[in-house]
Amino acid sequence: MRAHEAGWAHAAVSVRGPAWLREPEDANALVPQLWSSTARKSDGVLEVGGVPLTDLVAEHGSPAYVLDEADFRARARAFREAFEDYTVYYAGKAFLCTTVARWIAEEGLSLDVCSRGELAVAERAGFPMDRVGFHGNNKSYAELERAVELGVGRIIVDSFHEVQRLTEITEALRQAQGSAAQGSTARPPVRVLVRVTAGVEAHTHEYIATAHEDQKFGFSISDGSAFEAVRQLHETPGLELRGLHSHIGSQIFDSAGFEVAARRVLALHARIRDELGAELPELDLGGGFGIAYTTQDDPAEPAMLAAELTRIITEECAARRLAVPRLSIEPGRAIVGPSACTVYRVGTVKAVELDGAPGMQSVRTYVSVDGGMSDNIRTALYDADYSCTLASRASTAPPLLTRVVGMHCEAGDIVVMDEFLPGDLTPGDLVAVPGTGAYCRSMASNYNHALRPPVVAVRDGASRVLVRRETVEDLLALDAGVEG
Ligand SMILES: *Cc1c(COP(=O)(O)O)cnc(C)c1O
């Protein structure tokens, strides 16, 4: 083994890539299940929403997030229709801007927000406040007050401090109302859910069920705090406790975790009925439905998910002689994730000699693009896998296992760990990464003073900027410029 500085090029690295990654017959071809529904190639140029990405980049620059409006709306509608007896909240933290909030409203979904900023976007979009759910494990007094003032439909209570804050806020309102002139209309009660942790943690193909609940969110069921929170809220005038809320994780492919969680949550329902004499009318099952980032992922259709979740809840309720509550779900990633891709321009290509075993490819090819961990932190943060394609031309070069990296000062700044791309990639080419609609723009940063890319919506051959590209002036506007 040759000596080298710590880094990625360890001697034991296989350059074959992961076992699931197959060398394609044609490195130009799209894998349809990874792309939004209107994505196609024409003479090697990737088109989304009828807009060639070469044209889109000529007009809007690179990198850019390209959001397929028809695909987004179709996914929102598919959840809405498959879960027809449910309330379907779109989890805004996956990606939110005012236009997307309007699409969500038009498609008949409700909206989850989890901060003052997300609530402000909903407000600016004119989103109906009674269809908003407000989450967060540390909502401030001011945030809660604002949510109550705006008439947010559900506040998902996460701690005893929050019970106290909400009690104070509603009490202050009641007193203000009591001293107001006769004839003022009574405020409707503030509707709340209790966030519980059911001791289930689900992530991709695995879930872990534990007796205790070692995480920051919500009230533990097993140590009795969830029941105590319900008891307190049940007795608080001005608050209307509607039900429990359980969110078990993200990028989940299997209903087994939901089943264990449902059993524990409905056991709590039964205890509440038996000890407090109240049957909670609602139950929110949270989000977390997985999407395909690469060919190793095989997500279920919304109709399948709906059938599974409904079966699980119906059976558990029957076993405990509970009426089936009104159910909610909160998909974020599964709606917006597959609807967007990111288009980058290649800046440099470098081949690195590795000490591979005999017979193995011993050169790793690094393709550097004009973005990276500032516009997609998921690879560095979660070891997430992505795929990509050459988007600006057709190539006859044989496929070459390639690593697509960003332009940041960080060895872990990887966009796509392993992908077969045509072997003749060169500076100026465009590369597009599918499945970047969720948790990419919403987690984007200004690391290295990068300018966050725009979100460009495409539909029927036209493009519209929903969120513009940041400028150097935007960055400098925050710098107070204090003289040294
Ligand atoms: C993050 C989150 C969601 C959405 O998760 P996805 O994986 O994007 O579907 C839904 N509900 C809650 C409470 C969340 O924290």
Side-chain angles (χ1 to χ4, degrees):
M1 172 177 165
R2 251 180 277 154
H4 59 76
E5 303 277 358
W8 289 92
H10 290 281
V13 166
S14 149
V15 210
R16 281 177 304 196
W20 53 263
L21 185 63
R22 298 272 176 277
E23 181 171 336
E25 274 171 31
D26 175 5
N28 296 294
L30 294 181
V31 180
Q33 71 267 29
L34 305 181
W35 292 87
S36 67
S37 56
T38 71
R40 53 190 45 88
K41 278 194 175 178
S42 161
D43 287 335
V45 174
L46 180 61
E47 270 181 34
V48 185
V51 179
L53 295 198
T54 42
D55 292 357
L56 185 137
V57 168
E59 186 176 351
H60 302 288
S62 70
Y65 303 103
V66 182
L67 178 57
D68 184 335
E69 177 179 347
D71 186 89
F72 179 97
R73 286 181 180 270
R75 284 177 205 278
R77 209 173 305 137
F79 270 98
R80 179 78 220 88
E81 285 167 4
F83 287 86
E84 57 172 341
D85 300 328
Y86 290 54
T87 304
V88 180
Y89 290 86
Y90 169 67
K93 74 175 198 245
F95 173 68
L96 191 63
C97 64
T98 53
T99 309
V100 160
R102 286 188 204 104
W103 294 350
I104 285 296
E106 285 166 16
E107 298 301 338
L109 278 71
S110 298
L111 177 67
D112 265 351
V113 299
C114 61
S115 69
R116 172 195 316 237
E118 288 177 10
L119 186 58
V121 174
E123 208 186 331
R124 173 73 62 86
F127 199 92
M129 283 296 149
D130 60 341
R131 281 160 55 192
V132 171
F134 190 23
H135 280 275
N137 67 302
N138 182 12
K139 307 182 199 74
S140 69
Y141 190 95
E143 281 176 313
L144 289 167
E145 202 172 37
R146 184 77 190 131
V148 169
E149 253 168 42
L150 287 172
V152 158
R154 297 288 180 280
I155 295 177
I156 296 84
V157 177
D158 212 292
S159 70
F160 287 111
H161 299 288
E162 193 176 341
V163 174
Q164 185 60 36
R165 284 170 204 163
L166 277 174
T167 305
E168 284 169 28
I169 289 165
T170 48
E171 184 54 32
L173 279 171
R174 269 154 41 93
Q175 285 185 4
Q177 223 156 41
S179 58
Q182 278 263 321
S184 67
T185 50
R187 285 190 82 85
V190 177
R191 297 183 148 187
V192 299
L193 303 178
V194 170
R195 170 88 181 249
V196 302
T197 50
V200 177
E201 208 182 300
H203 179 64
T204 61
H205 301 279
E206 292 160 34
Y207 78 92
I208 307 164
T210 54
H212 62 93
E213 292 110 9
D214 187 8
Q215 59 149 306
K216 72 169 186 169
F217 290 110
F219 296 94
S220 161
I221 292 183
S222 61
D223 75 1
S225 22
F227 181 79
E228 176 56 21
V230 166
R231 202 189 55 73
Q232 290 183 16
L233 289 165
H234 188 58
E235 288 172 356
T236 307
L239 295 181
E240 183 181 342
L241 175 62
R242 299 292 298 172
L244 304 179
H245 178 290
S246 157
H247 171 76
I248 59 171
S250 210
Q251 187 62 354
I252 303 167
F253 288 93
D254 183 325
S255 62
F258 286 103
E259 188 147 10
V260 174
R263 206 168 296 139
R264 295 182 179 170
V265 168
L266 289 169
L268 179 57
H269 262 239
R271 178 174 176 205
I272 292 162
R273 174 197 57 197
D274 297 344
E275 296 186 30
L276 302 179
E279 274 211 33
L280 295 176
E282 296 177 14
L283 174 59
D284 192 321
L285 301 169
F289 312 113
I291 65 167
Y293 286 106
T294 66
T295 51
Q296 68 187 318
D297 303 321
D298 187 17
E301 294 293 318
M304 273 269 297
L305 290 170
E308 269 294 283
L309 293 187
T310 304
R311 176 193 63 76
I312 290 168
I313 300 296
T314 311
E315 286 176 10
E316 284 300 314
C317 285
R320 299 176 191 281
R321 281 177 274 97
L322 287 162
V324 175
R326 166 87 186 183
L327 299 170
S328 313
I329 52 162
E330 305 173 330
R333 185 194 315 270
I335 293 177
V336 72
S339 298
C341 65
T342 308
V343 58
Y344 300 98
R345 193 179 293 282
V346 173
T348 70
V349 179
K350 161 175 126 162
V352 180
E353 282 281 348
L354 305 180
D355 322 330
M360 270 167 32
Q361 177 186 323
S362 61
V363 171
R364 177 163 347 263
T365 303
Y366 283 89
V367 167
S368 299
V369 295
D370 53 355
M373 62 193 293
S374 57
D375 59 74
N376 185 354
I377 191 66
R378 292 191 65 260
T379 308
L381 188 60
Y382 306 121
D383 267 332
D385 289 310
Y386 282 91
S387 71
C388 59
T389 195
L390 171 59
S392 48
R393 63 182 171 92
S395 167
T396 53
L400 180 69
L401 188 63
T402 305
R403 181 162 293 170
V404 178
V405 296
M407 46 121 195
H408 294 282
C409 303
E410 193 81 43
D413 172 28
I414 292 166
V415 180
V416 181
M417 193 73 168
D418 297 289
E419 178 61 292
F420 285 98
L421 288 172
D424 63 347
L425 247 66
T426 188
D429 284 337
L430 299 179
V431 166
V433 177
T436 58
Y439 305 108
C440 288
R441 180 58 180 83
S442 69
M443 286 186 159
S445 78
N446 292 118
Y447 181 47
N448 292 147
H449 278 197
L451 303 171
R452 288 177 294 177
V455 179
V456 181
V458 289
R459 193 185 80 184
D460 301 333
S463 64
R464 297 187 290 164
V465 175
L466 304 191
V467 180
R468 72 160 167 79
R469 184 185 305 282
E470 264 175 335
T471 63
V472 170
E473 288 68 41
D474 290 329
L475 286 183
L476 290 176
L478 298 178
D479 186 326
V482 174
E483 294 283 335

